[in-house]
Amino acid sequence: MCLSKQNNIADSVARVTDTFKSGKTLPLAYRKKQITAVRALFTENAEAIYDAVYKDLHKSRTETFLAEIQININDCDKHLNSIDDWAAPRYHNTDVINLPAVTATQPEPMGVALIVACWNYPFALLAGPLIACIAAGCTAVIKTASEEHANASMALWCELLPQYLDNEAYVIVSGGADALEGLLEQRYDVIFATGSPGLGRMVHKAATKHLTKTVLELGGKSPVYVHRDCNLTIGARRIMWGACAFNNGQTCVRPDHLFIDSTIADSFIANLKKEAKAMFGEDAQKGNTYNRMAKSKGHFERVANILKTDAKYVVYGGNSDAADWYIAPTILDFGTDAEAFHNSAAMQGEIFGPIIPILRVDTPEVAYKSILSREKPLSLYGFTNNKKIQTEMLKLPAGTTQFNDVVSHVLNPDAPFGGVGNSGMGAYHGQAGFDNFSHMKTVMVNWSANDLAARYPPYSAMDKRLLRLVFREWPDTMINVLNNPAKVFIVGAALAAGAAYYMHFMKR
């Protein structure tokens, strides 16, 4: 059952706050039990998830398996296998003035989290941050994504989550903007939100009231540069998959627009068309492999209007059917007309649909200039093996950069995923998620044995010389030796042996 009324929201936040303060979520055994329960939620309810996602987004079972079910099972397994290491103290060298103290960073839970989910991956984008939150030892209030976009999936979340997780520590809340506004009036220790830059600003503004940490996974226009050395077949196949096939282009890291080297543009566009037909058939609407837009009238009309406004540049697709929530896989070719490209409807914001606008360029620098003129993207893609171009592209600001493929980088559980600037702040996936729901508390354990008298006033000339000697930056090799008892013993023994040899033989 989901909560939505303001008084229920306040009571729920108070309840999970009390649970956190009780220390219930601190033991690793408790955290593992809850993560195991999340895993069971997916393994025991796969059929219901397939049905809900199909109703909302017309996703195939294979795509739902990969992007909504198995990815979360893998995430649970990753956290279960790694939580002991991630939660353990992380030891650091101790400086000379504090030796022989022990210095470490101890991860501790941030506290109470608010997790704001998004509709385009209705299970993965809620489960991912939730698993990291649980692993870190936090309690959480979870805000479902918009029911308008993913009603069946959110209803299933509201049914299942209370059955599997500890209701004293994890509460799910449904509703629209009013529910979110009510949630943001409460106090949390960390807020994790997935959505548009507009949502990010709203969340970040609310968080400043209590100086609450925010992790924002947003979006933007992720550009692609295709160089002349690109593998035309594989490059076109991967871009068509990421831009149109995978969730019908409703992915925050989808390849949003292309800059193609003019010398290969005709061939590359021909390959894009070929791959579209191979994936979806001659008529994508009649096939059973093509997804649909979310069932939101406003969202659908916005994307459909791009087709109408930029109709003169359509070289493939271009049609839509509101009754079927269908937008055809579409290619827009602006030739070398940079002005028309940048002023087009397709380039005025994140497309979030199966439309690929293309500008032909003579040099990669034209692409770089365009990329630098816009907000920092969540992802940047380059199709080239040219090391010089790869080096130059790595200088361009972006949340992530991937060469010779698209989207697949988010599937790597060991690679932190997050944006920068307008595309977000913070990261998650694997240890990065655990760390962002944790406070890294520095701990130093000193001994009475290291009570250096020279640190206390009054300071003699000898005290000052000694302080200048020890309180400076020492070479890492020396610090590493001094922080290793075995090495200290060996060095000490060697010095003692050397001194004994000198005293015995050299003084005779």
Side-chain angles (χ1 to χ4, degrees):
M1 178 179 179
C2 282
L3 303 174
S4 59
K5 293 182 180 179
Q6 179 62 29
N7 60 331
N8 289 335
I9 288 172
D11 291 344
S12 296
V13 174
R15 185 166 79 251
V16 300
T17 300
D18 289 342
T19 300
F20 177 75
K21 290 180 178 179
S22 74
K24 184 178 184 180
T25 63
L26 292 180
L28 294 185
Y30 173 88
R31 306 184 203 182
K32 292 177 182 179
K33 181 179 179 180
Q34 297 302 307
I35 294 172
T36 302
V38 175
R39 191 184 195 282
L41 185 154
F42 285 98
T43 59
E44 295 172 5
N45 298 280
E47 287 301 322
I49 294 171
Y50 286 133
D51 291 343
V53 176
Y54 186 82
K55 289 177 182 177
D56 290 331
L57 296 166
H58 203 271
K59 284 189 185 181
S60 69
R61 289 176 66 91
T62 300
E63 185 172 327
T64 298
F65 170 78
L66 292 172
E68 304 284 8
I69 297 176
Q70 190 61 41
I71 192 171
N72 295 315
I73 293 172
N74 292 349
D75 203 16
C76 289
D77 291 342
K78 179 68 179 180
H79 282 73
L80 289 170
N81 291 334
S82 305
I83 189 173
D84 290 297
D85 291 335
W86 295 346
R90 305 172 191 184
Y91 291 96
H92 310 282
N93 281 338
T94 299
D95 61 304
V96 173
I97 204 168
N98 277 299
L99 281 170
V102 176
T103 306
T105 301
Q106 176 63 60
E108 69 175 15
M110 286 295 298
V112 180
L114 170 63
I115 297 172
V116 182
C118 196
W119 57 266
N120 55 317
Y121 290 89
F123 287 90
L125 294 182
L126 191 158
L130 177 60
I131 294 165
C133 170
I134 295 171
C138 297
T139 58
V141 177
I142 302 109
K143 169 65 179 67
T144 62
S146 168
E147 281 94 350
E148 179 189 10
H149 295 73
N151 184 60
S153 296
M154 293 306 107
L156 186 59
W157 263 122
C158 288
E159 175 189 342
L160 295 178
L161 192 142
Q163 296 178 27
Y164 284 83
L165 293 186
D166 180 355
N167 290 186
E168 296 300 309
Y170 307 102
V171 176
I172 188 163
V173 177
S174 65
D178 55 339
L180 179 57
E181 290 172 0
L183 283 166
L184 291 175
E185 291 175 2
Q186 308 299 315
R187 182 168 187 167
Y188 309 92
D189 298 297
V190 57
I191 302 176
F192 188 110
T194 304
S196 68
L199 172 74
R201 292 184 183 92
M202 177 183 177
V203 170
H204 196 57
K205 181 179 180 180
T208 59
K209 180 179 179 181
H210 299 294
L211 300 180
T212 301
K213 175 181 179 180
T214 57
V215 182
L216 303 175
E217 298 300 336
L218 310 178
K221 296 183 73 63
S222 296
V224 185
Y225 172 65
V226 182
H227 192 53
R228 64 175 66 95
D229 70 335
C230 166
N231 184 307
L232 299 181
T233 300
I234 294 177
R237 181 180 302 147
R238 291 177 173 177
I239 290 173
M240 181 55 65
W241 170 78
C244 298
F246 203 56
N247 203 29
N248 212 213
Q250 297 165 117
T251 303
C252 58
V253 293
R254 78 174 288 270
D256 181 271
H257 53 284
L258 275 58
F259 301 96
I260 304 180
D261 187 294
S262 297
T263 61
I264 62 164
D266 286 336
S267 297
F268 196 84
I269 292 172
N271 274 276
L272 284 173
K273 297 175 181 178
K274 178 181 177 182
E275 294 301 331
K277 292 177 182 178
M279 292 180 193
F280 317 126
E282 290 291 337
D283 186 342
Q285 188 174 11
K286 293 181 180 179
N288 60 3
T289 61
Y290 191 65
N291 298 332
R292 295 297 188 270
M293 301 293 288
K295 295 175 181 178
S296 166
K297 183 178 179 181
H299 173 55
F300 181 89
E301 289 180 348
R302 181 189 60 79
V303 179
N305 283 335
I306 293 175
L307 298 181
K308 295 176 183 177
T309 305
D310 295 339
K312 65 182 291 186
Y313 301 102
V314 172
V315 295
Y316 187 85
N319 56 310
S320 63
D321 183 350
D324 191 27
W325 304 102
Y326 172 78
I327 300 284
T330 298
I331 301 170
L332 305 176
D333 183 6
F334 291 87
T336 58
D337 191 341
E339 183 177 1
F341 175 79
H342 290 296
N343 291 330
S344 67
M347 292 301 293
Q348 300 316 300
E350 184 177 8
I351 296 171
F352 225 61
I355 302 172
I356 307 175
I358 294 171
L359 179 67
R360 302 169 184 236
V361 297
D362 293 329
T363 66
E365 286 73 22
V366 176
Y368 305 160
K369 183 178 179 180
S370 175
I371 293 166
L372 289 170
S373 72
R374 295 180 174 274
E375 295 283 4
K376 297 174 183 177
L378 185 53
S379 290
L380 169 66
Y381 301 110
F383 280 79
T384 180
N385 291 310
N386 185 301
K387 298 302 181 183
K388 180 180 178 181
I389 292 175
Q390 289 184 353
T391 299
E392 291 302 310
M393 290 191 70
L394 286 174
K395 298 175 183 177
L396 300 173
T400 57
T401 298
Q402 184 172 16
F403 292 105
N404 300 313
D405 206 342
V406 297
V407 180
S408 65
H409 62 87
V410 302
L411 302 177
N412 184 351
D414 290 312
F417 170 67
V420 57
N422 199 64
S423 59
M425 62 177 68
Y428 73 127
H429 290 183
Q431 187 174 339
F434 176 92
D435 288 355
N436 260 310
F437 280 100
S438 303
H439 166 61
M440 297 301 162
K441 179 170 65 179
T442 296
V443 178
M444 181 179 283
V445 181
N446 293 76
W447 297 1
S448 298
N450 67 340
D451 193 36
L452 183 66
R455 66 188 275 194
Y456 307 110
Y459 300 108
S460 67
M462 179 61 74
D463 291 337
K464 294 175 183 177
R465 284 195 293 271
L466 181 58
L467 288 172
R468 290 192 185 98
L469 174 65
V470 298
F471 192 62
R472 63 184 179 87
E473 177 63 22
W474 288 67
D476 287 343
T477 52
M478 179 67 73
I479 292 296
N480 289 337
V481 169
L482 293 175
N483 276 268
N484 188 314
K487 291 181 179 178
V488 170
F489 176 80
I490 293 171
V491 172
L495 291 174
Y501 177 87
Y502 175 81
M503 295 298 294
H504 183 72
F505 292 103
M506 304 302 293
K507 290 290 188 179
R508 297 182 63 179

